[in-house]
Amino acid sequence: MSVARPTYCGVMPTPRYTHGHHESVLRSHQWRTAANSAGFLLADLGTGDRVLDVGCGPGNITADLAQYVPDGSVVGIDLSEEIIARATSDHAATPNVSFRVGDVYGLDAPDGSYDVVYAHQVLQHLHDPVAALREMRRVLAPGGLLAVREADFGGFFWHPATPALDEWMELYHRVTAHNGAQADGGRHLPQWVRGAGFTDLAVTATSWTFETAEDRSWWGGLWADRVVLSEFARQAVEYSLSTPEELETIAAAFRSWATSEDGLFVVPSIEVLARP
Ligand SMILES: C[S@@+](CC[C@H](N)C(=O)[O-])C[C@H]1O[C@@H](n2cnc3c(N)ncnc32)[C@H](O)[C@@H]1O
């Protein structure tokens, strides 16, 4: 028997977002483009499509998508006022993109008002991704397209093996579980999408690979900073799941990995296209 989740004025309560928007986190989000994060969608975009980007963060993918729909528009929504203010200012020069504060559990849009609803690395952070997907389905026009992509932390791999990075992965799972989130969201994504009533699923997987000296320095450096400076670090200590000393050890392991000339890090994501 399923138990109804408590809601406030019909809106799902939102858990703490694990990463926050510290500069070390944004270094990663601002690197993202339509090509490296929405490649599975691009061939299906029509030039006049109305696109909604849910949980858009700093809006780099959102603004990039706008170039693929020159006669249409892209709206980015995010729960964080701070990140929406930043996205609005950073992408003011892109004419057909706009940003609003909004909650995926209660979208401020009429039924059937978008041709495409996209969400990238958002559902894994939610208590109830199926409820979120149902709301995304509500705002899709008949014949519209859902496009969602989620990483699967349990599927990450790297070389060389480093015990402190294994501890980081274990800690990441424990912090996200404490937040009611699902670190291995990728493998659950098709099931979530079906559970929300979508049909005609096309499921694929692509990955980001960090191997060159420049990529290792960037990826290892941003994670070294994230594990001690971001909201993740604050939560890990607050939940008594780690200590500042242990986090410093993990940060040092990321820096050391970055300098290994045989170093490799692979981040897989599952992506789903589906119809409402
Ligand atoms: C990992 S970031 C992804 C940002 C962007 N999509 C990207 O890939 O760069 C997840 C984003 O989801 C937002 N978010 C979390 N819960 C949300 C909710 N209930 N409604 C809307 N956005 C939410 C967070 O504020 C954060 O900006």
Side-chain angles (χ1 to χ4, degrees):
M1 188 179 79
S2 68
V3 178
R5 288 174 177 277
T7 63
Y8 176 71
C9 296
V11 174
M12 293 294 300
T14 299
R16 274 174 93 173
Y17 168 49
T18 304
H19 298 299
H21 295 103
H22 184 268
E23 179 277 326
S24 55
V25 176
L26 294 187
R27 238 182 278 165
S28 161
H29 295 179
Q30 291 179 316
W31 161 84
R32 297 176 187 174
T33 62
N36 70 27
S37 300
F40 66 110
L41 162 67
L42 299 182
D44 287 293
L45 284 177
T47 55
D49 278 351
R50 300 159 297 169
V51 181
L52 176 67
D53 180 3
V54 171
C56 63
N60 291 65
I61 305 170
T62 329
D64 213 8
L65 284 173
Q67 301 183 37
Y68 291 82
V69 291
D71 307 320
S73 59
V74 186
V75 175
I77 69 119
D78 199 286
L79 199 57
S80 161
E81 283 181 33
E82 176 201 349
I83 204 66
I84 285 297
R86 182 171 186 144
T88 304
S89 137
D90 284 359
H91 305 292
T94 307
N96 56 337
V97 71
S98 60
F99 296 95
R100 295 179 208 148
V101 175
D103 187 340
V104 64
Y105 291 120
L107 293 168
D108 182 15
D111 294 0
S113 48
Y114 288 99
D115 302 303
V116 176
V117 176
Y118 168 76
H120 187 250
Q121 314 298 357
V122 178
L123 297 167
Q124 65 189 274
H125 295 293
L126 304 178
H127 266 135
D128 194 341
V130 175
L133 281 158
R134 257 190 238 115
E135 178 65 354
M136 291 159 72
R137 184 163 169 253
R138 180 186 68 76
V139 302
L140 264 174
L145 188 63
L146 174 81
V148 284
R149 184 171 191 264
E150 293 295 325
D152 190 299
F153 273 69
F156 287 15
F157 66 90
W158 57 86
H159 179 79
T162 311
L165 294 190
D166 293 339
E167 283 158 29
W168 161 71
M169 182 53 69
E170 171 67 23
L171 178 62
Y172 185 81
H173 278 84
R174 294 176 74 193
V175 171
T176 47
H178 193 283
N179 284 338
Q182 175 51 266
D184 299 341
R187 71 192 68 180
H188 295 275
L189 191 57
Q191 179 189 348
W192 291 342
V193 170
R194 275 189 213 101
F198 287 92
T199 56
D200 296 336
L201 276 67
V203 180
T204 49
T206 54
S207 54
W208 298 329
T209 303
F210 305 112
E211 188 272 333
T212 66
E214 189 185 350
D215 284 353
R216 277 186 277 112
S217 169
W218 174 77
W219 181 251
L222 74 84
W223 267 106
D225 289 345
R226 281 170 81 153
V227 297
V228 293
L229 297 172
S230 74
E231 184 66 16
F232 168 76
R234 191 196 317 267
Q235 293 176 14
V237 174
E238 182 187 318
Y239 302 159
S240 300
L241 296 174
S242 191
T243 64
E245 295 73 28
E246 285 168 359
L247 294 174
E248 286 293 351
T249 302
I250 295 170
F254 268 113
R255 281 191 211 95
S256 168
W257 169 83
T259 61
S260 166
E261 65 177 23
D262 297 321
L264 173 83
F265 204 114
V266 178
V267 176
S269 287
I270 297 293
E271 46 215 15
V272 179
L273 294 173
R275 300 286 173 187

